[in-house]
Amino acid sequence: MLSESRAGETSGFQNHVAEIKKRAMIFFDNVSKFYNHNSVALKDVTLKINPKEFVSVVGSSGAGKTTFLKLLIREEEPSRGKIIFDGAEVGELDRRRLHLLRRRIGTIFQDYKLLSSKTAYENVAFAMEASGKSDEEIDEDVPQSLEIVGLKDKMHNFPHQLSGGEKQRVAIARAIVNRPDVILADEPTGNLDPINTWEIIKLLQKINELGTTVVLASHDKEVINMIGKRVVVLDKGMVVSDKENGKYLV
Amino acid sequence: MTTLKRILKTGFLNFKRNGWLSAATVMVMVLSLFVLGNLIFLSAFASTILAEFGSKIDVSVYFASDAPEENIFAVKKDLESHPDVAQVQYVSRDEALQVFRARHKDEELIGQALEELGENPLQASLNIRAKNPAQYAAISEFLSGKKYPVIDKINYFENKLVIERLSTILNSVRGGGSVLVLVLSIIAILVSVNTIRMAIYTMREEIGIMRLVGAARWFIRGPFLVSGVLYGASAAILTVLIFFPLVWLISPRLILLMPSFDLFQYFLMNLLEFSAILFGTGILIGVFSSFLAVRKYLDI
Ligand SMILES: Nc1ncnc2c1ncn2[C@@H]1O[C@H](COP(=O)(O)OP(=O)(O)OP(=O)(O)O)[C@@H](O)[C@H]1O
Ligand SMILES: [Mg+2]
């Protein structure tokens, strides 16, 4: 009797967990990441992000924000735990098919990651070419997204001919141009002045309102407090707070 | 279709944009192909020399003076059916005498001696050319084994030492030459492969970025293979262009050394094949090393 009811409970619980994972856009299941034995980047992180959510991941430098994003696009592999993206386990995808996952996620990298041998225009166009978009779509969308980030006049410059903030805006244009399901923004305003910062945050909010899931990593208090959405606080790789309408206080 | 077009376009564009790097890579490949071209010439030159030496060796079988011609022809027939024999030439007693006379026509004493003798002192013979100098021993064994009563002597046994030495020299030149060709080709190819690997090494970060923004592996690899083809093809064109004046200059000097080998003529006659080998090798090296070099950085 006892064991039976336990078994029933367990399977019911499992179903429930499976249901949660299915509904989530992103699900971190007890994930840890150790780069080496004395560097713990993430520790036992369990986190669920729903479709169309806007989540800010905050924490001081070295707290593990970038690592969190890297694991999601499998730029790094977790040391422990599972990561589920839209019902599929990221770690089980065949390496040869990883680009299919990455096409659904637009990433604004903290270090921009622009192709140095390509102009701003070509950098943005590359993301579209790689996902097989037609030349007409590219001709139309690339200038448009560069216009959105205010870089249309510099679109034929190479990265080394752009300032830090300008490079950051090219990275933003590239991340949004394919209209991905999820946008990961790693300190996207780190090199921008207050006016540009405000513009980019408004842009991310607008994209979010149109139905895109946005994960923003930042340690900029003002930016986080301005957004006023869900805030996840990381400290030394652990989730120490997770609140709707959160503020970033520390 | 659009993707193929994009890959080709990017390949050409990268080749053009990485001007210095491409130029350096092509130059190294030109050097490799140049070595390869020289090896081709060298082996053609060597086979001409070897063939010439080889054609100077033969073995003669002399027949008793009273041997009937039909018996000699029977031996000739046996020889012609022997697998090692390339050619058998019959020299009758009269022909031998004519040749002898012609050779000594200025020497009165010899003419006089022949007159006094009254009859033809020379023997009929078969001159045998083997397919390979090393086979003369076997042919001689074959003849002496058959114990033809009409055969007086076989001059192989007199020249045995010389023939054997010559044939070992010819064989070792051939063998050593092939090893040298192989080693030099491998070195040349390795240098090219490494240059291309270095060129791609400088692109490793870009390759990683392309993966992270959602490019499939073949979409990244494609343009590198196109550039590889371009490296190989440009290097082959340049090498052929360099060889033209060079061969033209060297050829007359070489003819003085070795009258039967006209390098320029050889070059023109074999231009198509020669270019095909250089193009094939160049493109193969370019594509193969690009393929290997990119693969390493795609695993992200
Ligand atoms: N490749 C790596 N090898 C070793 N340790 C690493 C590596 N990348 C990150 N770390 C370490 O992991 C921890 C988390 O790094 P992470 O980049 O995720 O921090 P972050 O929150 O993004 O910081 P920041 O706000 O400065 O960008 C840090 O202690 C860092 O030193
Ligand atoms: Mg970071």
Side-chain angles (χ1 to χ4, degrees):
Chain A
M1 266 312 261
L2 195 72
S3 65
E4 227 173 52
S5 82
R6 249 192 207 161
E9 237 176 60
T10 310
S11 85
F13 179 67
Q14 278 174 349
N15 285 341
H16 185 60
V17 171
E19 190 57 32
I20 289 175
K21 286 182 187 173
K22 214 191 282 172
R23 262 180 301 160
M25 193 74 208
I26 296 162
F27 188 80
F28 271 58
D29 192 357
N30 214 7
V31 173
S32 299
K33 173 69 183 176
F34 318 109
Y35 283 104
N36 46 55
H37 53 272
N38 53 18
S39 151
V40 179
L42 282 183
K43 194 162 187 299
D44 304 330
V45 171
T46 297
L47 196 69
K48 181 183 141 213
I49 297 172
N50 289 321
K52 303 180 195 221
E53 242 188 316
F54 193 122
V55 181
S56 303
V57 178
V58 306
S60 50
S61 181
K65 304 180 294 292
T66 299
T67 302
F68 176 78
L69 301 180
K70 279 183 175 173
L71 290 175
L72 194 51
I73 57 169
R74 209 164 132 191
E75 188 182 343
E76 295 283 351
E77 308 264 354
S79 310
R80 275 208 307 257
K82 284 183 193 158
I83 296 150
I84 287 145
F85 179 85
D86 197 17
E89 196 189 324
V90 171
E92 282 185 349
L93 291 173
D94 187 341
R95 275 221 172 276
R96 276 166 302 191
R97 299 171 60 79
L98 264 185
H99 57 275
L100 299 177
L101 165 80
R102 289 167 181 164
R103 278 181 201 168
R104 298 187 56 194
I105 303 174
T107 309
I108 303 161
F109 298 94
Q110 191 170 11
D111 55 354
Y112 323 132
K113 292 206 194 299
L114 298 181
L115 299 165
S116 57
S117 59
K118 293 191 190 298
T119 64
Y121 182 95
E122 290 165 343
N123 263 282
V124 179
F126 181 83
M128 294 190 79
E129 287 173 2
S131 49
K133 298 279 164 57
S134 73
D135 288 343
E136 294 76 41
E137 280 176 286
I138 293 175
D139 290 344
E140 193 170 322
D141 291 0
V142 174
Q144 196 191 334
S145 74
L146 281 166
E147 170 116 68
I148 289 173
V149 297
L151 261 189
K152 213 179 167 196
D153 52 330
K154 303 228 164 128
M155 67 185 186
H156 296 303
N157 286 21
F158 286 92
H160 66 89
Q161 299 164 327
L162 295 171
S163 75
E166 286 166 343
K167 281 188 261 203
Q168 192 147 40
R169 284 183 278 157
V170 178
I172 295 167
R174 179 179 62 186
I176 63 174
V177 76
N178 275 328
R179 300 186 183 91
D181 297 334
V182 177
I183 289 202
L184 306 181
D186 195 356
E187 215 72 68
T189 57
N191 265 303
L192 302 184
D193 55 63
I195 293 173
N196 267 309
T197 299
W198 182 225
E199 295 272 307
I200 294 303
I201 296 300
K202 268 201 306 196
L203 173 66
L204 288 177
Q205 283 177 316
K206 190 163 159 229
I207 290 171
N208 175 244
E209 275 158 26
L210 294 173
T212 306
T213 312
V214 176
V215 182
L216 169 76
S218 177
H219 46 44
D220 186 331
K221 260 179 248 176
E222 268 181 70
V223 165
I224 303 302
N225 295 340
M226 190 157 75
I227 295 166
K229 291 262 172 78
R230 179 178 169 195
V231 175
V232 175
V233 183
L234 285 178
D235 184 31
K236 296 193 183 75
M238 287 186 286
V239 177
V240 292
S241 142
D242 182 353
K243 289 202 186 88
E244 290 298 329
N245 301 314
K247 295 266 184 227
Y248 181 30
L249 300 169
V250 190
Chain B
M1 214 45 225
T2 10
T3 310
L4 191 67
K5 210 181 71 204
R6 276 172 195 163
I7 287 176
L8 285 173
K9 197 180 131 205
T10 311
F12 274 94
L13 208 64
N14 287 350
F15 182 75
K16 213 175 72 193
R17 271 199 190 153
N18 301 332
W20 276 109
L21 202 58
S22 302
T25 310
V26 169
M27 279 308 147
V28 170
M29 288 191 74
V30 166
L31 280 180
S32 301
L33 294 181
F34 188 72
V35 169
L36 199 71
N38 276 308
L39 292 176
I40 294 175
F41 288 143
L42 202 69
S43 64
F45 185 62
S47 13
T48 311
I49 292 180
L50 292 185
E52 201 140 290
F53 269 131
S55 72
K56 293 226 161 89
I57 305 177
D58 64 4
V59 154
S60 299
V61 185
Y62 295 95
F63 294 90
S65 306
D66 56 356
E69 251 187 0
E70 67 234 50
N71 289 13
I72 297 176
F73 279 124
V75 175
K76 185 169 184 254
K77 217 167 161 212
D78 285 351
L79 276 171
E80 276 167 347
S81 62
H82 192 280
D84 295 341
V85 172
Q87 198 194 357
V88 185
Q89 190 199 1
Y90 173 55
V91 181
S92 71
R93 292 182 67 192
D94 293 342
E95 281 164 354
L97 185 64
Q98 268 171 29
V99 171
F100 186 78
R101 278 231 164 90
R103 196 188 295 157
H104 299 285
K105 65 175 183 291
D106 298 331
E107 295 163 67
E108 230 157 89
L109 192 66
I110 288 179
Q112 212 176 326
L114 281 175
E115 292 302 314
E116 274 166 24
L117 207 59
E119 64 170 313
N120 184 352
L122 297 175
Q123 296 173 303
S125 65
L126 289 175
N127 290 327
I128 306 165
R129 176 96 25 95
K131 285 177 182 149
N132 178 330
Q135 291 159 343
Y136 284 114
I139 294 170
S140 307
E141 296 292 318
F142 166 77
L143 282 175
S144 50
K146 283 253 186 162
K147 298 214 188 312
Y148 296 104
V150 285
I151 290 182
D152 180 42
K153 66 173 194 257
I154 304 172
N155 79 343
Y156 169 77
F157 296 103
E158 290 150 31
N159 302 339
K160 194 168 178 232
L161 209 62
V162 182
I163 292 179
E164 274 176 357
R165 274 213 189 126
L166 207 52
S167 99
T168 10
I169 291 173
L170 291 187
N171 280 338
S172 47
V173 167
R174 227 178 244 133
S178 321
V179 171
L180 187 75
V181 166
L182 205 71
V183 169
L184 286 180
S185 311
I186 289 177
I187 291 176
I189 287 171
L190 280 183
V191 169
S192 299
V193 168
N194 265 310
T195 311
I196 290 183
R197 276 178 46 187
M198 298 242 290
I200 290 179
Y201 176 78
T202 63
M203 298 282 289
R204 69 198 182 285
E205 245 173 76
E206 310 253 309
I207 294 171
I209 294 173
M210 291 178 189
R211 280 295 281 162
L212 291 179
V213 299
R217 281 145 65 111
W218 49 266
F219 189 77
I220 301 172
R221 186 185 277 144
F224 284 101
L225 300 188
V226 173
S227 298
V229 170
L230 291 178
Y231 291 144
S234 351
I237 292 174
L238 277 177
T239 311
V240 172
L241 287 183
I242 290 173
F243 267 120
F244 257 104
L246 215 61
V247 166
W248 187 74
L249 278 176
I250 289 176
S251 191
R253 273 151 242 243
L254 210 59
I255 284 186
L256 295 182
L257 209 71
M258 182 85 194
S260 58
F261 188 67
D262 184 343
L263 183 64
F264 193 63
Q265 204 58 34
Y266 173 82
F267 181 58
L268 290 184
M269 297 269 288
N270 296 287
L271 188 59
L272 212 66
E273 207 186 338
F274 185 77
S275 312
I277 291 176
L278 293 193
F279 266 85
T281 314
I283 290 174
L284 211 69
I285 293 174
V287 171
F288 182 69
S289 28
S290 301
F291 181 86
L292 283 188
V294 183
R295 196 174 61 165
K296 210 165 37 179
Y297 307 118
L298 281 176
D299 267 341
I300 179 164

